[in-house]
Amino acid sequence: MSTPSLIPSGVHEVLAKYKDGNYVDGWAELWDKSKGDRLPWDRGFPNPALEDTLIQKRAIIGGPLGQDAQGKTYRKKALVPGCGRGVDVLLLASFGYDAYGLEYSATAVDVCQEEQAKNGDQYPVRDAEIGQGKITFVQGDFFEDTWLEKLNLTRNCFDVIYDYTFFCALNPSMRPQWALRHTQLLADSPRGHLICLEFPRHKDPSVQGPPWGSASEAYRAHLSHPGEEIPYDASRQCQFDSSKAPSAQGLERVAYWQPERTHEVGKNEKGEVQDRVSIWQRPPQSSL
């Protein structure tokens, strides 16, 4: 079988005009150029591995409802940074989470809202007793707090964060910031869980991105030592001692597996799943 291209046509040419500090402007231009049409990395529906994770790993991440210190039931908040067309946000809301989709591009937010209006009924409520969560799309920079303030939210408020094609979209030089920012947004243990759908693991990391080749070792290195510079060799292979304990701010990996289902782009030419899913949380004694 043929494997869908990992290199969206035209993306590199646009992003090459922007330095790392202006990366968000490059993605915004791509959205603006698309005029709302489907972009090359858009699969049109959520990765089935996320759906399976929400069902099969409930013992780890819990359900969409929680209880605060006073015993009052609340609806958990889920964040999808770089949410694209917003399909993952719609899926999370169907499970009962108050789901937030973040995009830097105002055009992308408009597309998300159009997707919700046109196709929201394709995501039926999974549990009638829990009901559907609130859906919010917001424009903002993941690394800044302005969008949180716009929503009257604070740091460390998200019970679930889902990262699929965000890590691999960033230049590897931004990975320390990416990991640190997750620790700033994720709720304390045992509430908060980061779900990473690791992709593309089968792409040569020395080849130009995005998407940048993203080995499981890179996720583990950066999330266990957020904000720190992690060594890479000349071919962009992560060089990290996996036996090292997480830093004081680090997250710990509490689950890691090969999903039974994923998008076709996450398989090799033989049709074998190459993606992995990992779940992370802050160690119980850690609080930021």
Side-chain angles (χ1 to χ4, degrees):
M1 65 177 292
S2 61
T3 301
S5 172
L6 295 179
I7 305 175
S9 60
V11 171
H12 295 165
E13 290 79 359
V14 172
L15 295 183
K17 298 186 298 183
Y18 299 90
K19 296 181 179 180
D20 288 351
N22 297 58
Y23 79 100
V24 287
D25 296 316
W27 290 106
E29 180 178 332
L30 287 167
W31 276 105
D32 292 342
K33 283 180 176 292
S34 76
K35 305 297 183 183
D37 291 334
R38 183 168 294 174
L39 287 159
W41 59 82
D42 179 17
R43 306 299 159 191
F45 59 96
N47 192 307
L50 173 60
E51 180 181 15
D52 292 346
T53 297
L54 296 174
I55 295 171
Q56 299 170 3
K57 304 300 179 180
R58 187 162 177 160
I60 296 175
I61 62 177
L65 301 181
Q67 285 193 333
D68 61 20
Q70 289 71 44
K72 183 179 179 180
T73 299
Y74 67 92
R75 195 177 293 274
K76 293 182 180 179
K77 296 180 177 65
L79 172 68
V80 184
C83 67
R85 188 170 290 269
V87 293
D88 301 314
V89 178
L90 300 179
L91 178 68
L92 284 159
S94 76
F95 273 86
Y97 293 92
D98 280 344
Y100 296 79
L102 175 65
E103 270 290 349
Y104 180 77
S105 164
T107 298
V109 172
D110 289 342
V111 171
C112 289
Q113 292 169 343
E114 291 172 6
E115 181 73 19
Q116 179 184 358
K118 292 179 180 178
N119 300 313
D121 57 359
Q122 296 181 14
Y123 301 84
V125 172
R126 300 303 179 107
D127 187 324
E129 292 185 4
I130 293 174
Q132 183 183 47
K134 178 180 65 176
I135 297 169
T136 304
F137 295 109
V138 61
Q139 185 274 333
D141 185 343
F142 174 73
F143 297 99
E144 303 292 339
D145 283 347
T146 305
W147 60 273
L148 284 173
E149 296 164 0
K150 189 186 306 184
L151 297 171
N152 293 317
L153 297 177
T154 61
R155 289 186 176 189
N156 303 119
C157 72
F158 292 103
D159 304 272
V160 171
I161 303 177
Y162 173 58
D163 189 296
Y164 175 28
T165 55
F166 193 54
F167 179 83
C168 67
L170 298 175
N171 188 292
S173 66
M174 300 186 70
R175 290 176 177 178
Q177 297 169 259
W178 169 89
L180 181 62
R181 185 59 171 163
H182 279 304
T183 69
Q184 295 170 349
L185 297 173
L186 196 65
D188 288 340
S189 180
R191 236 181 80 189
H193 292 92
L194 167 63
I195 301 171
C196 291
L197 181 43
E198 301 176 2
F199 162 87
R201 296 177 67 256
H202 56 307
K203 180 179 179 179
D204 184 343
S206 67
V207 176
Q208 176 72 23
W212 298 89
S214 305
S216 294
E217 292 76 14
Y219 285 88
R220 189 165 190 176
H222 287 284
L223 288 171
S224 64
H225 290 77
E228 299 180 20
E229 292 298 328
I230 302 297
Y232 286 77
D233 64 20
S235 62
R236 297 198 186 99
Q237 294 280 356
C238 182
Q239 302 295 303
F240 179 74
D241 182 1
S242 60
S243 66
K244 288 181 62 176
S247 66
Q249 294 180 319
L251 303 181
E252 62 178 355
R253 192 172 71 181
V254 294
Y256 175 74
W257 72 96
Q258 176 181 315
E260 296 178 1
R261 302 191 297 159
T262 192
H263 284 322
E264 290 301 312
V265 75
K267 302 176 183 178
N268 63 18
E269 294 182 354
K270 297 180 181 179
E272 299 166 333
V273 172
Q274 300 299 297
D275 292 347
R276 297 293 184 271
V277 183
S278 54
I279 300 178
W280 306 79
Q281 69 177 27
R282 187 173 292 118
Q285 72 276 12
S286 175
S287 181
L288 297 179

